[in-house]
Amino acid sequence: MSIPTETLSNAYRSMKTIREFEERVNAEIMNGQIPGFTHLYTGQEANAVGVCAHLDADDTIISTHRGHGHCIAKGAEVDGMMKELFGSSEGLCKGKGGSMHVADIDRGILGANGIVAGGPPISVGSALAAKIRKNGKVAVSFSGDGSVNQGTCFEAMNMAVVLQVPAVFVIENNYYSEHTNISYAVGCDDLKARTEAFGFPVFVADGADFFAVYEAAGKAIEHARAGNGPAGVFAEQGRYHGHFVGDPQHYRGEGELDDLRENHDCLKNFRARMAETGELDAATLDAIDAEVMAEIEQAVTAAKAAARPTAGQVTEDVYINYGAGA
Amino acid sequence: MSQKTMRDAINEALHQAMEQDESVFVIGEDVAGCNGSAGDVGAVGGVFGVTTGIYHRWPDRCIDTPISESAIVGAAAGAALVGMRPVAEIMFADFIGVCMDQIVNQMAKFRYMFGGKSRCPAVIRFSAGGGFSAAGQHSQAMYQIMTSFPGLKVVVPSNAYDAKGLLLSAIADDDPVLFFEPKILYQEACEVPDEHYTIPFGEANFVREGDDVTVVAFGQMVPKAAAAIDELAEEGISCDLIDPRTTSPLDENAILESVEATGRLVVVDEAPPRCGLTADIAGLAADKAFASLKGPIKQVCAPHSPTPFSPELEAAYLPDGNKIKAAIKATLA
Ligand SMILES: Cc1ncc(C[n+]2csc(CCOP(=O)(O)OP(=O)(O)O)c2C)c(N)n1
Ligand SMILES: [Mg+2]
């Protein structure tokens, strides 16, 4: 499989952007600059980027509480996201949603989601619209290894098969749902098989390897786009941080985090692959790194200086039109 | 007796209920924590730490679940129907959205639909309410909605002392009880006896006593209202502050007697106004104490909007001392 150079450099930039965005957000939370509950995606970047590399602007994704990476990979403006996290009225969602609700409908981002498994049913609706309109679009939902145990997820998967819609279910196994390991919370031994039992193919990938995710997602998305009904991607890769910022992570084994950062790093893997194939040289990647760092720095500076919302905005945007009663 | 936070008081109540009665068990997401992991199972005790230590003493009766709120509530309801006394934890009250059927169509109605022949002594605990910049899906009070369903008892403690006594009553109660813990109060402490005690349902607490205005407040609004009332006392305005503690059953008499004495009523809750507790209590007074009223009833609550994320917006959204003071003064104008 040959991947165009531009796709490669975009993918690397996107993964690096997510990494640096999250590391900076972590630091700003520690500084007390970002309010609310925030869940970082650091470590899992290749999942979002490997999937979204196949998506057009008007394909849709729906995300989770751990949503920053998915949104960046689908093209959300870093600047607007950072402002949103800081609670500015200039944020992507005017400071109404914050980390757990970053959304950009114009870019096909139907939102991060604070309700575990709130997304998959909505994604089936987006896929159904694509089927009715016959426009060849696909709808991707991201779900964690914990979220797949929610009834809404089961319902969405089954209904997607029944309706034969172009829904792509991306299951990200980072081994934990909050403080519980997948080996406890998923009752069967084989989550891939359980998912396939709904009646659609699931393609497995190492989530630390952009190329593996890209390949698996390519197959799933092609399957759905071609009108063969839903498909799945199952990617395994641990998160580098706690469930939320501040999580004491009692569930980690000794050396687990070091091993993750040392041996399961999509950025390192990507660079190693490029060194082998020569498709992008180190100087090009270094230049991307520098640009990304500057972009994040600028986004934080802008977010800190951005307008704060005012009391009158509380009741704006509840409805489009509420009639005379409002 | 010592100072205990609301979190510790609830935790102590759970320990005492578990000790007393083997049919009591705790179930929910990460109520033990670390299951299946390399870590120490039981190290978490719920995301707010409320079930801390229970797993280590009663590993068979502290049950972690997958993320499956419908099944958690259903399992509690089913175990209760056959004689257990489950205490289920739903991490955030907002997740009632996921398990609504099991609560309102199932457990709430068993006894009535089965002709009085069943018992469902389940308790479902929730963290509830705003104040954390947690936005629209992690900030709702929810208790006002659940109060509207016959068959459920609904508890909203406003301090550590009440939380302990009310939870012990809830667990001993033979009907299904929803127990809403204002999460902003988990760290607030007051004197809490070490021994087992209960607080009956349907008995309001008079937090302040005064002559001019009756203030009824719920959950996290109780300490806010108390502070506002103390400030007004310096201006010579004296208020009754009534904390109903349970919204179902509701201590109507306490409210009506106070309104009959003061002739003025302010009701404070953090939820939006429509079909909420402030309207409910205002309606009660208008219906049953109309002749005593000397002026319009004032409702202090959130606007008809979801809870916003940004701290500035949330501060404007939630009722605060200034809004409560203004409402009290407005009833006297
Ligand atoms: C309905 C619902 N239940 C519980 C939660 C609390 N919660 C937030 S994230 C999470 C764990 C999700 O695990 P997983 O799906 O594996 O995603 P990950 O956090 O690992 O990305 C839980 C239990 C929630 N937000 N919504
Ligand atoms: Mg997970």
Side-chain angles (χ1 to χ4, degrees), chain A residues 36 84 87 95-96 101 114 149-150 178-181 184 250 308-309 319, chain B residues 30 34-36 39 47 64 67-69 133 137-138 304 309-310 312:
Chain A
E84 185 61 28
K96 296 281 180 65
H101 306 289
N149 298 317
Q150 192 73 284
E178 297 216 337
H179 314 270
T180 297
N181 191 269
Y184 178 84
H250 295 302
R308 302 305 301 178
Y319 301 95
Chain B
D30 285 318
C34 298
N35 263 294
V47 295
D64 272 351
I67 309 172
S68 306
E69 282 80 9
S133 270
Q137 297 174 341
H138 286 75
H304 185 64
F309 162 71
S310 192
E312 290 94 331

PDB file of all heavy atoms in Angstrom, chain A residues 36 84 87 95-96 101 114 149-150 178-181 184 250 308-309 319, chain B residues 30 34-36 39 47 64 67-69 133 137-138 304 309-310 312:
ATOM      1  N   GLY A  36     -13.254  22.382  34.676  1.00  0.00           N
ATOM      2  CA  GLY A  36     -14.080  21.241  34.272  1.00  0.00           C
ATOM      3  C   GLY A  36     -13.348  19.915  34.276  1.00  0.00           C
ATOM      4  O   GLY A  36     -12.263  19.777  34.835  1.00  0.00           O
ATOM      5  N   GLU A  84     -12.177  27.097  23.552  1.00  0.00           N
ATOM      6  CA  GLU A  84     -13.322  26.417  24.157  1.00  0.00           C
ATOM      7  C   GLU A  84     -12.932  25.807  25.503  1.00  0.00           C
ATOM      8  O   GLU A  84     -13.643  25.941  26.498  1.00  0.00           O
ATOM      9  CB  GLU A  84     -13.864  25.331  23.212  1.00  0.00           C
ATOM     10  CG  GLU A  84     -15.130  24.643  23.704  1.00  0.00           C
ATOM     11  CD  GLU A  84     -16.302  25.597  23.872  1.00  0.00           C
ATOM     12  OE1 GLU A  84     -16.352  26.619  23.174  1.00  0.00           O
ATOM     13  OE2 GLU A  84     -17.170  25.318  24.731  1.00  0.00           O
ATOM     14  N   GLY A  87     -12.863  28.107  28.162  1.00  0.00           N
ATOM     15  CA  GLY A  87     -14.166  28.667  28.528  1.00  0.00           C
ATOM     16  C   GLY A  87     -14.444  30.032  27.936  1.00  0.00           C
ATOM     17  O   GLY A  87     -15.285  30.774  28.430  1.00  0.00           O
ATOM     18  N   GLY A  95     -17.904  28.525  24.619  1.00  0.00           N
ATOM     19  CA  GLY A  95     -17.735  28.293  26.050  1.00  0.00           C
ATOM     20  C   GLY A  95     -18.912  27.596  26.700  1.00  0.00           C
ATOM     21  O   GLY A  95     -18.961  27.450  27.909  1.00  0.00           O
ATOM     22  N   LYS A  96     -19.822  27.102  25.893  1.00  0.00           N
ATOM     23  CA  LYS A  96     -21.006  26.439  26.448  1.00  0.00           C
ATOM     24  C   LYS A  96     -20.748  24.962  26.738  1.00  0.00           C
ATOM     25  O   LYS A  96     -21.419  24.362  27.565  1.00  0.00           O
ATOM     26  CB  LYS A  96     -22.176  26.542  25.462  1.00  0.00           C
ATOM     27  CG  LYS A  96     -22.674  27.959  25.193  1.00  0.00           C
ATOM     28  CD  LYS A  96     -23.559  28.445  26.299  1.00  0.00           C
ATOM     29  CE  LYS A  96     -24.081  29.854  26.092  1.00  0.00           C
ATOM     30  NZ  LYS A  96     -24.963  30.037  24.953  1.00  0.00           N
ATOM     31  N   HIS A 101     -17.531  18.526  25.056  1.00  0.00           N
ATOM     32  CA  HIS A 101     -18.559  18.775  24.043  1.00  0.00           C
ATOM     33  C   HIS A 101     -18.036  19.540  22.837  1.00  0.00           C
ATOM     34  O   HIS A 101     -18.801  20.199  22.137  1.00  0.00           O
ATOM     35  CB  HIS A 101     -19.751  19.488  24.687  1.00  0.00           C
ATOM     36  CG  HIS A 101     -20.270  18.735  25.870  1.00  0.00           C
ATOM     37  ND1 HIS A 101     -20.935  17.547  25.729  1.00  0.00           N
ATOM     38  CD2 HIS A 101     -20.133  18.938  27.199  1.00  0.00           C
ATOM     39  CE1 HIS A 101     -21.218  17.076  26.940  1.00  0.00           C
ATOM     40  NE2 HIS A 101     -20.746  17.890  27.840  1.00  0.00           N
ATOM     41  N   GLY A 114     -20.318  13.571  26.511  1.00  0.00           N
ATOM     42  CA  GLY A 114     -20.103  13.287  27.926  1.00  0.00           C
ATOM     43  C   GLY A 114     -20.808  12.040  28.416  1.00  0.00           C
ATOM     44  O   GLY A 114     -20.579  11.592  29.532  1.00  0.00           O
ATOM     45  N   ASN A 149     -19.991  -1.677  26.286  1.00  0.00           N
ATOM     46  CA  ASN A 149     -20.862  -2.487  27.145  1.00  0.00           C
ATOM     47  C   ASN A 149     -22.196  -1.817  27.436  1.00  0.00           C
ATOM     48  O   ASN A 149     -23.025  -2.353  28.174  1.00  0.00           O
ATOM     49  CB  ASN A 149     -20.147  -2.781  28.469  1.00  0.00           C
ATOM     50  CG  ASN A 149     -18.885  -3.574  28.232  1.00  0.00           C
ATOM     51  OD1 ASN A 149     -18.890  -4.507  27.435  1.00  0.00           O
ATOM     52  ND2 ASN A 149     -17.805  -3.196  28.885  1.00  0.00           N
ATOM     53  N   GLN A 150     -22.384  -0.663  26.853  1.00  0.00           N
ATOM     54  CA  GLN A 150     -23.601   0.102  27.089  1.00  0.00           C
ATOM     55  C   GLN A 150     -24.665  -0.358  26.086  1.00  0.00           C
ATOM     56  O   GLN A 150     -24.354  -0.614  24.911  1.00  0.00           O
ATOM     57  CB  GLN A 150     -23.249   1.586  26.899  1.00  0.00           C
ATOM     58  CG  GLN A 150     -24.263   2.588  27.358  1.00  0.00           C
ATOM     59  CD  GLN A 150     -24.363   2.724  28.859  1.00  0.00           C
ATOM     60  OE1 GLN A 150     -24.939   1.860  29.506  1.00  0.00           O
ATOM     61  NE2 GLN A 150     -23.831   3.781  29.421  1.00  0.00           N
ATOM     62  N   GLU A 178     -12.335   4.013  32.905  1.00  0.00           N
ATOM     63  CA  GLU A 178     -11.952   4.640  34.174  1.00  0.00           C
ATOM     64  C   GLU A 178     -10.925   3.766  34.883  1.00  0.00           C
ATOM     65  O   GLU A 178      -9.805   3.678  34.434  1.00  0.00           O
ATOM     66  CB  GLU A 178     -13.180   4.928  35.047  1.00  0.00           C
ATOM     67  CG  GLU A 178     -14.099   5.930  34.347  1.00  0.00           C
ATOM     68  CD  GLU A 178     -14.791   6.908  35.265  1.00  0.00           C
ATOM     69  OE1 GLU A 178     -14.953   6.637  36.454  1.00  0.00           O
ATOM     70  OE2 GLU A 178     -15.185   7.989  34.764  1.00  0.00           O
ATOM     71  N   HIS A 179     -11.323   3.054  35.964  1.00  0.00           N
ATOM     72  CA  HIS A 179     -10.342   2.321  36.757  1.00  0.00           C
ATOM     73  C   HIS A 179     -10.514   0.807  36.611  1.00  0.00           C
ATOM     74  O   HIS A 179      -9.997   0.036  37.420  1.00  0.00           O
ATOM     75  CB  HIS A 179     -10.468   2.708  38.234  1.00  0.00           C
ATOM     76  CG  HIS A 179     -10.583   4.181  38.452  1.00  0.00           C
ATOM     77  ND1 HIS A 179      -9.497   5.008  38.630  1.00  0.00           N
ATOM     78  CD2 HIS A 179     -11.669   4.998  38.486  1.00  0.00           C
ATOM     79  CE1 HIS A 179      -9.912   6.264  38.776  1.00  0.00           C
ATOM     80  NE2 HIS A 179     -11.222   6.279  38.691  1.00  0.00           N
ATOM     81  N   THR A 180     -11.280   0.389  35.617  1.00  0.00           N
ATOM     82  CA  THR A 180     -11.592  -1.028  35.474  1.00  0.00           C
ATOM     83  C   THR A 180     -10.991  -1.561  34.180  1.00  0.00           C
ATOM     84  O   THR A 180     -11.111  -0.940  33.133  1.00  0.00           O
ATOM     85  CB  THR A 180     -13.122  -1.217  35.466  1.00  0.00           C
ATOM     86  OG1 THR A 180     -13.645  -0.788  36.722  1.00  0.00           O
ATOM     87  CG2 THR A 180     -13.499  -2.675  35.258  1.00  0.00           C
ATOM     88  N   ASN A 181     -10.360  -2.721  34.282  1.00  0.00           N
ATOM     89  CA  ASN A 181      -9.716  -3.293  33.100  1.00  0.00           C
ATOM     90  C   ASN A 181     -10.735  -3.979  32.200  1.00  0.00           C
ATOM     91  O   ASN A 181     -11.718  -4.555  32.675  1.00  0.00           O
ATOM     92  CB  ASN A 181      -8.648  -4.297  33.548  1.00  0.00           C
ATOM     93  CG  ASN A 181      -7.773  -4.729  32.390  1.00  0.00           C
ATOM     94  OD1 ASN A 181      -8.064  -5.704  31.716  1.00  0.00           O
ATOM     95  ND2 ASN A 181      -6.716  -3.987  32.139  1.00  0.00           N
ATOM     96  N   TYR A 184     -12.121  -7.422  32.915  1.00  0.00           N
ATOM     97  CA  TYR A 184     -13.238  -7.557  33.853  1.00  0.00           C
ATOM     98  C   TYR A 184     -14.550  -7.120  33.213  1.00  0.00           C
ATOM     99  O   TYR A 184     -15.569  -7.797  33.333  1.00  0.00           O
ATOM    100  CB  TYR A 184     -12.967  -6.706  35.102  1.00  0.00           C
ATOM    101  CG  TYR A 184     -14.087  -6.744  36.126  1.00  0.00           C
ATOM    102  CD1 TYR A 184     -14.168  -7.782  37.059  1.00  0.00           C
ATOM    103  CD2 TYR A 184     -15.068  -5.753  36.148  1.00  0.00           C
ATOM    104  CE1 TYR A 184     -15.213  -7.821  37.986  1.00  0.00           C
ATOM    105  CE2 TYR A 184     -16.102  -5.786  37.074  1.00  0.00           C
ATOM    106  CZ  TYR A 184     -16.168  -6.819  37.989  1.00  0.00           C
ATOM    107  OH  TYR A 184     -17.191  -6.853  38.899  1.00  0.00           O
ATOM    108  N   HIS A 250      -4.390   3.977  40.217  1.00  0.00           N
ATOM    109  CA  HIS A 250      -4.087   2.806  41.053  1.00  0.00           C
ATOM    110  C   HIS A 250      -4.058   1.506  40.255  1.00  0.00           C
ATOM    111  O   HIS A 250      -3.555   0.496  40.722  1.00  0.00           O
ATOM    112  CB  HIS A 250      -5.150   2.662  42.148  1.00  0.00           C
ATOM    113  CG  HIS A 250      -5.156   3.779  43.140  1.00  0.00           C
ATOM    114  ND1 HIS A 250      -4.068   4.111  43.892  1.00  0.00           N
ATOM    115  CD2 HIS A 250      -6.143   4.642  43.499  1.00  0.00           C
ATOM    116  CE1 HIS A 250      -4.377   5.138  44.683  1.00  0.00           C
ATOM    117  NE2 HIS A 250      -5.625   5.484  44.451  1.00  0.00           N
ATOM    118  N   ARG A 308     -14.160  36.725  27.416  1.00  0.00           N
ATOM    119  CA  ARG A 308     -14.883  35.876  28.357  1.00  0.00           C
ATOM    120  C   ARG A 308     -16.381  36.056  28.122  1.00  0.00           C
ATOM    121  O   ARG A 308     -16.832  37.143  27.751  1.00  0.00           O
ATOM    122  CB  ARG A 308     -14.543  36.253  29.804  1.00  0.00           C
ATOM    123  CG  ARG A 308     -13.068  36.164  30.143  1.00  0.00           C
ATOM    124  CD  ARG A 308     -12.449  34.818  29.845  1.00  0.00           C
ATOM    125  NE  ARG A 308     -13.109  33.727  30.564  1.00  0.00           N
ATOM    126  CZ  ARG A 308     -12.763  32.444  30.427  1.00  0.00           C
ATOM    127  NH1 ARG A 308     -11.802  32.081  29.596  1.00  0.00           N
ATOM    128  NH2 ARG A 308     -13.400  31.521  31.096  1.00  0.00           N
ATOM    129  N   PRO A 309     -17.135  34.992  28.331  1.00  0.00           N
ATOM    130  CA  PRO A 309     -18.583  35.110  28.119  1.00  0.00           C
ATOM    131  C   PRO A 309     -19.232  35.964  29.205  1.00  0.00           C
ATOM    132  O   PRO A 309     -18.682  36.111  30.301  1.00  0.00           O
ATOM    133  CB  PRO A 309     -19.067  33.667  28.208  1.00  0.00           C
ATOM    134  CG  PRO A 309     -18.021  32.945  28.987  1.00  0.00           C
ATOM    135  CD  PRO A 309     -16.721  33.658  28.763  1.00  0.00           C
ATOM    136  N   TYR A 319     -32.536  27.481  21.939  1.00  0.00           N
ATOM    137  CA  TYR A 319     -33.397  27.170  20.792  1.00  0.00           C
ATOM    138  C   TYR A 319     -32.980  28.044  19.617  1.00  0.00           C
ATOM    139  O   TYR A 319     -32.275  29.034  19.799  1.00  0.00           O
ATOM    140  CB  TYR A 319     -34.861  27.504  21.104  1.00  0.00           C
ATOM    141  CG  TYR A 319     -35.443  26.790  22.291  1.00  0.00           C
ATOM    142  CD1 TYR A 319     -35.453  27.400  23.541  1.00  0.00           C
ATOM    143  CD2 TYR A 319     -36.009  25.522  22.156  1.00  0.00           C
ATOM    144  CE1 TYR A 319     -36.005  26.750  24.639  1.00  0.00           C
ATOM    145  CE2 TYR A 319     -36.561  24.879  23.252  1.00  0.00           C
ATOM    146  CZ  TYR A 319     -36.554  25.494  24.488  1.00  0.00           C
ATOM    147  OH  TYR A 319     -37.104  24.861  25.566  1.00  0.00           O
TER     148      TYR A 319
ATOM    149  N   ASP B  30     -16.933   1.178  39.310  1.00  0.00           N
ATOM    150  CA  ASP B  30     -15.747   1.498  40.111  1.00  0.00           C
ATOM    151  C   ASP B  30     -16.053   1.741  41.587  1.00  0.00           C
ATOM    152  O   ASP B  30     -15.308   2.455  42.260  1.00  0.00           O
ATOM    153  CB  ASP B  30     -14.991   2.703  39.520  1.00  0.00           C
ATOM    154  CG  ASP B  30     -14.217   2.327  38.258  1.00  0.00           C
ATOM    155  OD1 ASP B  30     -13.607   1.248  38.237  1.00  0.00           O
ATOM    156  OD2 ASP B  30     -14.241   3.108  37.298  1.00  0.00           O
ATOM    157  N   CYS B  34     -10.439  -0.943  39.954  1.00  0.00           N
ATOM    158  CA  CYS B  34      -9.228  -1.707  39.618  1.00  0.00           C
ATOM    159  C   CYS B  34      -9.500  -3.173  39.305  1.00  0.00           C
ATOM    160  O   CYS B  34      -8.549  -3.958  39.185  1.00  0.00           O
ATOM    161  CB  CYS B  34      -8.159  -1.598  40.696  1.00  0.00           C
ATOM    162  SG  CYS B  34      -7.575   0.078  40.937  1.00  0.00           S
ATOM    163  N   ASN B  35     -10.744  -3.574  39.171  1.00  0.00           N
ATOM    164  CA  ASN B  35     -10.987  -4.972  38.818  1.00  0.00           C
ATOM    165  C   ASN B  35     -10.339  -5.304  37.477  1.00  0.00           C
ATOM    166  O   ASN B  35     -10.390  -4.529  36.537  1.00  0.00           O
ATOM    167  CB  ASN B  35     -12.493  -5.248  38.752  1.00  0.00           C
ATOM    168  CG  ASN B  35     -13.000  -5.863  40.034  1.00  0.00           C
ATOM    169  OD1 ASN B  35     -12.625  -6.991  40.381  1.00  0.00           O
ATOM    170  ND2 ASN B  35     -13.834  -5.124  40.753  1.00  0.00           N
ATOM    171  N   GLY B  36      -9.730  -6.488  37.441  1.00  0.00           N
ATOM    172  CA  GLY B  36      -9.084  -6.961  36.222  1.00  0.00           C
ATOM    173  C   GLY B  36      -7.725  -6.329  35.972  1.00  0.00           C
ATOM    174  O   GLY B  36      -7.040  -6.685  35.025  1.00  0.00           O
ATOM    175  N   GLY B  39      -3.573  -3.412  39.621  1.00  0.00           N
ATOM    176  CA  GLY B  39      -3.651  -2.687  40.896  1.00  0.00           C
ATOM    177  C   GLY B  39      -4.476  -3.418  41.938  1.00  0.00           C
ATOM    178  O   GLY B  39      -5.003  -4.504  41.704  1.00  0.00           O
ATOM    179  N   VAL B  47     -15.846   7.125  41.993  1.00  0.00           N
ATOM    180  CA  VAL B  47     -15.033   8.243  41.494  1.00  0.00           C
ATOM    181  C   VAL B  47     -14.998   9.407  42.481  1.00  0.00           C
ATOM    182  O   VAL B  47     -14.086  10.206  42.443  1.00  0.00           O
ATOM    183  CB  VAL B  47     -15.468   8.742  40.102  1.00  0.00           C
ATOM    184  CG1 VAL B  47     -15.246   7.689  39.044  1.00  0.00           C
ATOM    185  CG2 VAL B  47     -16.907   9.193  40.093  1.00  0.00           C
ATOM    186  N   ASP B  64     -18.415  -4.216  41.361  1.00  0.00           N
ATOM    187  CA  ASP B  64     -18.143  -3.362  40.199  1.00  0.00           C
ATOM    188  C   ASP B  64     -18.900  -3.885  38.989  1.00  0.00           C
ATOM    189  O   ASP B  64     -19.043  -5.099  38.808  1.00  0.00           O
ATOM    190  CB  ASP B  64     -16.645  -3.375  39.879  1.00  0.00           C
ATOM    191  CG  ASP B  64     -15.876  -2.321  40.656  1.00  0.00           C
ATOM    192  OD1 ASP B  64     -16.508  -1.480  41.308  1.00  0.00           O
ATOM    193  OD2 ASP B  64     -14.633  -2.361  40.606  1.00  0.00           O
ATOM    194  N   ILE B  67     -19.946  -0.412  32.287  1.00  0.00           N
ATOM    195  CA  ILE B  67     -20.676   0.850  32.117  1.00  0.00           C
ATOM    196  C   ILE B  67     -22.017   0.499  31.489  1.00  0.00           C
ATOM    197  O   ILE B  67     -22.134   0.376  30.278  1.00  0.00           O
ATOM    198  CB  ILE B  67     -19.899   1.835  31.232  1.00  0.00           C
ATOM    199  CG1 ILE B  67     -18.470   1.987  31.748  1.00  0.00           C
ATOM    200  CG2 ILE B  67     -20.608   3.197  31.203  1.00  0.00           C
ATOM    201  CD1 ILE B  67     -17.590   2.803  30.819  1.00  0.00           C
ATOM    202  N   SER B  68     -22.997   0.304  32.319  1.00  0.00           N
ATOM    203  CA  SER B  68     -24.295  -0.223  31.878  1.00  0.00           C
ATOM    204  C   SER B  68     -25.345   0.220  32.885  1.00  0.00           C
ATOM    205  O   SER B  68     -25.846  -0.572  33.682  1.00  0.00           O
ATOM    206  CB  SER B  68     -24.247  -1.762  31.831  1.00  0.00           C
ATOM    207  OG  SER B  68     -23.182  -2.238  31.037  1.00  0.00           O
ATOM    208  N   GLU B  69     -25.699   1.499  32.846  1.00  0.00           N
ATOM    209  CA  GLU B  69     -26.576   2.041  33.889  1.00  0.00           C
ATOM    210  C   GLU B  69     -27.937   1.362  33.934  1.00  0.00           C
ATOM    211  O   GLU B  69     -28.492   1.146  35.014  1.00  0.00           O
ATOM    212  CB  GLU B  69     -26.741   3.550  33.729  1.00  0.00           C
ATOM    213  CG  GLU B  69     -25.562   4.376  34.226  1.00  0.00           C
ATOM    214  CD  GLU B  69     -24.405   4.425  33.245  1.00  0.00           C
ATOM    215  OE1 GLU B  69     -24.572   3.961  32.097  1.00  0.00           O
ATOM    216  OE2 GLU B  69     -23.327   4.930  33.615  1.00  0.00           O
ATOM    217  N   SER B 133     -18.130  23.385  36.548  1.00  0.00           N
ATOM    218  CA  SER B 133     -17.842  23.606  35.125  1.00  0.00           C
ATOM    219  C   SER B 133     -17.879  22.276  34.380  1.00  0.00           C
ATOM    220  O   SER B 133     -17.026  21.994  33.548  1.00  0.00           O
ATOM    221  CB  SER B 133     -16.468  24.250  34.918  1.00  0.00           C
ATOM    222  OG  SER B 133     -16.582  25.637  34.926  1.00  0.00           O
ATOM    223  N   GLN B 137     -23.990  17.770  30.529  1.00  0.00           N
ATOM    224  CA  GLN B 137     -24.308  16.363  30.794  1.00  0.00           C
ATOM    225  C   GLN B 137     -23.748  15.849  32.122  1.00  0.00           C
ATOM    226  O   GLN B 137     -23.821  14.652  32.408  1.00  0.00           O
ATOM    227  CB  GLN B 137     -23.775  15.488  29.641  1.00  0.00           C
ATOM    228  CG  GLN B 137     -24.444  15.818  28.303  1.00  0.00           C
ATOM    229  CD  GLN B 137     -23.829  15.077  27.128  1.00  0.00           C
ATOM    230  OE1 GLN B 137     -22.705  14.589  27.219  1.00  0.00           O
ATOM    231  NE2 GLN B 137     -24.559  14.993  26.021  1.00  0.00           N
ATOM    232  N   HIS B 138     -23.158  16.731  32.917  1.00  0.00           N
ATOM    233  CA  HIS B 138     -22.599  16.303  34.204  1.00  0.00           C
ATOM    234  C   HIS B 138     -22.910  17.306  35.319  1.00  0.00           C
ATOM    235  O   HIS B 138     -22.151  17.422  36.276  1.00  0.00           O
ATOM    236  CB  HIS B 138     -21.077  16.146  34.121  1.00  0.00           C
ATOM    237  CG  HIS B 138     -20.611  14.945  33.369  1.00  0.00           C
ATOM    238  ND1 HIS B 138     -20.656  14.869  32.004  1.00  0.00           N
ATOM    239  CD2 HIS B 138     -20.089  13.755  33.790  1.00  0.00           C
ATOM    240  CE1 HIS B 138     -20.168  13.701  31.612  1.00  0.00           C
ATOM    241  NE2 HIS B 138     -19.829  13.001  32.671  1.00  0.00           N
ATOM    242  N   HIS B 304     -34.181  28.750  32.092  1.00  0.00           N
ATOM    243  CA  HIS B 304     -34.605  27.632  31.237  1.00  0.00           C
ATOM    244  C   HIS B 304     -33.533  27.387  30.169  1.00  0.00           C
ATOM    245  O   HIS B 304     -33.676  27.767  29.020  1.00  0.00           O
ATOM    246  CB  HIS B 304     -35.952  27.988  30.600  1.00  0.00           C
ATOM    247  CG  HIS B 304     -36.555  26.886  29.797  1.00  0.00           C
ATOM    248  ND1 HIS B 304     -36.945  25.686  30.340  1.00  0.00           N
ATOM    249  CD2 HIS B 304     -36.818  26.787  28.471  1.00  0.00           C
ATOM    250  CE1 HIS B 304     -37.440  24.908  29.393  1.00  0.00           C
ATOM    251  NE2 HIS B 304     -37.359  25.548  28.241  1.00  0.00           N
ATOM    252  N   PHE B 309     -20.779  25.445  30.383  1.00  0.00           N
ATOM    253  CA  PHE B 309     -19.445  25.010  30.816  1.00  0.00           C
ATOM    254  C   PHE B 309     -18.651  26.123  31.487  1.00  0.00           C
ATOM    255  O   PHE B 309     -18.119  25.970  32.575  1.00  0.00           O
ATOM    256  CB  PHE B 309     -18.681  24.482  29.593  1.00  0.00           C
ATOM    257  CG  PHE B 309     -17.190  24.398  29.782  1.00  0.00           C
ATOM    258  CD1 PHE B 309     -16.642  23.432  30.626  1.00  0.00           C
ATOM    259  CD2 PHE B 309     -16.333  25.264  29.128  1.00  0.00           C
ATOM    260  CE1 PHE B 309     -15.266  23.345  30.809  1.00  0.00           C
ATOM    261  CE2 PHE B 309     -14.959  25.180  29.297  1.00  0.00           C
ATOM    262  CZ  PHE B 309     -14.422  24.220  30.142  1.00  0.00           C
ATOM    263  N   SER B 310     -18.550  27.239  30.804  1.00  0.00           N
ATOM    264  CA  SER B 310     -17.639  28.297  31.235  1.00  0.00           C
ATOM    265  C   SER B 310     -17.962  28.754  32.664  1.00  0.00           C
ATOM    266  O   SER B 310     -19.120  28.933  33.014  1.00  0.00           O
ATOM    267  CB  SER B 310     -17.780  29.474  30.271  1.00  0.00           C
ATOM    268  OG  SER B 310     -16.738  30.387  30.501  1.00  0.00           O
ATOM    269  N   GLU B 312     -17.755  31.553  34.195  1.00  0.00           N
ATOM    270  CA  GLU B 312     -18.531  32.796  34.280  1.00  0.00           C
ATOM    271  C   GLU B 312     -20.000  32.529  33.977  1.00  0.00           C
ATOM    272  O   GLU B 312     -20.890  33.078  34.619  1.00  0.00           O
ATOM    273  CB  GLU B 312     -18.023  33.837  33.272  1.00  0.00           C
ATOM    274  CG  GLU B 312     -16.662  34.410  33.603  1.00  0.00           C
ATOM    275  CD  GLU B 312     -15.530  33.665  32.917  1.00  0.00           C
ATOM    276  OE1 GLU B 312     -15.686  32.447  32.647  1.00  0.00           O
ATOM    277  OE2 GLU B 312     -14.491  34.284  32.649  1.00  0.00           O
TER     278      GLU B 312
END
